[in-house]
């Protein structure tokens, strides 16, 4: 579940969502009216948005379902979508798209992210484009890397698509795997992440590079600027998560107030927008949840900085528009060192 709140200068402004609450400083009755209207929105609206997104290019469910059907026809076991491999595929795809791809990039990704997944991990990748459908891509990539995709010991894949160009990462020798592998998972796919993975990239309980890469990729597709991380917003998001753990439920309405806490630290912002929820699983799933319900807000180019945190399954995300411009070096950072921080 999630809630959200938006503040423009000193005035609260709410958009419809799953569960929301709103206040204006002068009128308590507006809280009841806004909350009542918002709570009538059904969760099926988010499900419908998710289904609509699944029809677009790069649907991991469509791709892995077809690959597993073709593996089954060859008497091979199904593979699963791995979160770290998906991150690697996204890193490759984004660097390819922005012209910063190099022959040494995959070796760097392997050393930092893939090698720690097992004592004898073997991984390979393939970038192909451009395609007008996921099935067209699958048919082509199966021919291009036939021996790898239909290898008896292949365990997992990661896939990423940008403007019809697909990146695929395949791996064997993984130590941690899911208890069961669903050959044809529903869309959107929830990638498998091994326990305790990416601790070196975690900040405030979230794999920050993975979160930014996933969100900034969607903003790039909408011609919006990439997010930088604002240290005050990041710290406040953690305070909000701690508050929710103490309260035992998620909230955007305090008792610690997001807007007042940020204004008290003399941060010059034009507007703020924040979300909160529970049942956190991983960074990319959080992005998918937010996009399913609040895509217009998440893609709004006026917002330039962000802060996100989770604790005990409760998560908080804060976005802001600043008076000054922000330059982001890496929209899809490979590590914490490549994340753009501002203060």
């Amino acid at each position: 579940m999630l809630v959200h709140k938006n503040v423009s200068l000193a005035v609260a402004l709410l958009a419809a969502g799953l569960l929301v609450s709103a206040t204006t400083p002068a009128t308590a009755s507006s809280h009841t009216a806004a909350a009542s209207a918002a709570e009538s929105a059904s969760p099926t609206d988010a499900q419908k948005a998710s289904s609509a997104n699944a029809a677009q290019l790069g649907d991991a469910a469509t791709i892995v379902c077809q690959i597993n059907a073709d593996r089954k026809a060859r008497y091979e076991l199904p593979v699963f979508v791995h979160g770290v491999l998906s991150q690697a595929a996204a890193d490759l795809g984004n660097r390819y798209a922005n012209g910063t791809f190099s022959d040494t990039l995959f070796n760097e990704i392997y050393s930092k992210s893939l090698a720690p997944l097992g004592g004898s991990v073997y991984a390979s990748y393939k970038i192909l484009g451009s395609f007008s459908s996921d099935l067209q891509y699958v048919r082509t990539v199966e021919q291009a890397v036939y021996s790898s995709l239909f290898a008896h010991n292949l365990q997992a894949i990661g896939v990423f698509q940008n403007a019809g160009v697909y990146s695929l990462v395949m791996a064997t020798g993984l130590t941690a795997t899911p208890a069961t592998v669903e050959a044809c998972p529903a869309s959107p796919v929830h990638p498998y992440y091994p326990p305790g993975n990416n601790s070196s990239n975690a900040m405030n309980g979230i794999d920050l590079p993975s979160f930014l890469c996933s969100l900034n990729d969607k903003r790039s597709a909408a011609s919006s600027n990439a997010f930088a991380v604002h240290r005050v917003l990041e710290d406040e998001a953690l305070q909000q998560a701690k508050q929710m753990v103490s309260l035992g439920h998620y909230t955007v309405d305090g008792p610690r107030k997001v807007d007042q806490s940020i204004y008290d630290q003399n941060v010059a912002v034009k507007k703020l927008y924040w979300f909160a929820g529970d049942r956190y699983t991983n960074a990319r799933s959080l992005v998918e949840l937010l996009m399913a319900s609040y895509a217009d807000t998440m893609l709004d180019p006026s917002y330039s900085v962000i802060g996100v945190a989770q604790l005990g399954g409760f998560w908080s995300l804060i976005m802001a528009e600043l008076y000054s411009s922000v330059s982001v070096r890496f929209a899809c950072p490979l590590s914490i060192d490549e994340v753009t921080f501002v203060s």
Side-chain angles (χ1 to χ4, degrees):
M1 300 295 290
L2 64 88
V3 290
H4 79 277
K5 193 164 185 178
N6 175 39
V7 171
S8 179
L9 297 179
V11 181
L13 178 64
L14 265 292
L18 301 183
L19 286 175
V20 298
S21 61
T23 58
T24 60
T27 311
S29 61
S30 67
H31 179 284
T32 303
S36 175
E39 288 175 357
S40 66
S42 168
T44 56
D45 293 337
Q47 295 168 357
K48 290 176 181 177
S50 179
S51 297
N53 290 337
Q56 301 175 3
L57 291 180
D59 179 42
T62 299
I63 294 169
V64 75
C65 282
Q66 187 59 56
I67 289 174
N68 281 334
D70 295 337
R71 282 179 61 85
K72 182 178 180 180
R74 291 162 175 80
Y75 303 101
E76 299 294 350
L77 294 175
V79 296
F80 61 92
V81 178
H82 197 293
V84 179
L85 302 188
S86 297
Q87 172 70 51
D91 293 341
L92 292 169
N94 281 309
R95 294 295 179 90
Y96 183 86
N98 64 26
T100 59
F101 181 87
S102 69
D103 293 337
T104 61
L105 177 60
F106 186 70
N107 290 336
E108 179 184 351
I109 292 173
Y110 178 85
S111 298
K112 286 185 177 181
S113 304
L114 305 185
L117 298 177
S120 58
V121 173
Y122 176 80
S124 59
Y125 75 97
K126 188 69 174 180
I127 301 176
L128 290 172
S130 61
F131 300 93
S132 58
S133 75
D134 290 340
L135 292 179
Q136 180 192 21
Y137 162 70
V138 171
R139 295 306 181 203
T140 303
V141 76
E142 285 181 344
Q143 294 178 10
V145 289
Y146 185 95
S147 60
S148 296
L149 267 179
F150 296 112
H152 180 69
N153 61 344
L154 181 65
Q155 293 175 289
I157 65 170
V159 64
F160 175 79
Q161 181 275 146
N162 185 354
V165 177
Y166 291 72
S167 303
L168 177 73
V169 176
M170 301 157 283
T172 65
L174 303 171
T175 299
T177 59
T180 59
V181 175
E182 189 175 1
C184 193
S187 182
V189 170
H190 297 291
Y192 170 79
Y193 283 88
N197 179 253
N198 280 343
S199 58
S200 63
N201 283 334
M203 178 169 286
N204 291 350
I206 288 181
D207 181 356
L208 196 55
S210 177
F211 180 83
L212 289 171
C213 186
S214 180
L215 180 54
N216 284 337
D217 172 62
K218 296 181 184 301
R219 286 174 65 85
S220 175
S223 299
S224 295
N225 52 292
F227 273 124
V229 176
H230 197 292
R231 295 190 183 278
V232 173
L233 270 58
E234 185 79 358
D235 292 343
E236 181 58 31
L238 180 58
Q239 294 304 317
Q240 290 296 313
K242 290 180 177 178
Q243 172 180 249
M244 288 184 280
V245 169
S246 178
L247 293 172
H249 61 83
Y250 56 89
T251 179
V252 291
D253 285 321
R256 182 185 175 100
K257 307 295 184 183
V258 172
D259 51 343
Q260 191 59 53
S261 297
I262 291 174
Y263 296 152
D264 285 347
Q265 297 182 66
N266 298 317
V267 180
V269 299
K270 287 186 179 180
K271 61 181 179 181
L272 291 167
Y273 204 113
W274 64 95
F275 308 81
D278 60 1
R279 304 176 190 176
Y280 174 85
T281 54
N282 60 65
R284 288 182 177 273
S285 293
L286 177 56
V287 172
E288 294 302 328
L289 173 65
L290 291 164
M291 288 296 299
S293 302
Y294 301 106
D296 288 346
T297 302
M298 300 306 299
L299 300 177
D300 186 339
S302 66
Y303 293 103
S304 59
V305 292
I306 200 167
V308 61
Q310 77 86 20
L311 186 65
F314 293 101
W315 56 267
S316 172
L317 183 146
I318 308 170
M319 306 189 304
E321 177 185 0
L322 303 180
Y323 287 96
S324 57
S325 61
V326 175
S327 176
V328 175
R329 183 181 179 190
F330 296 111
C332 186
L334 293 178
S335 64
I336 287 290
D337 292 339
E338 292 187 355
V339 173
T340 300
F341 288 95
V342 298
S343 57

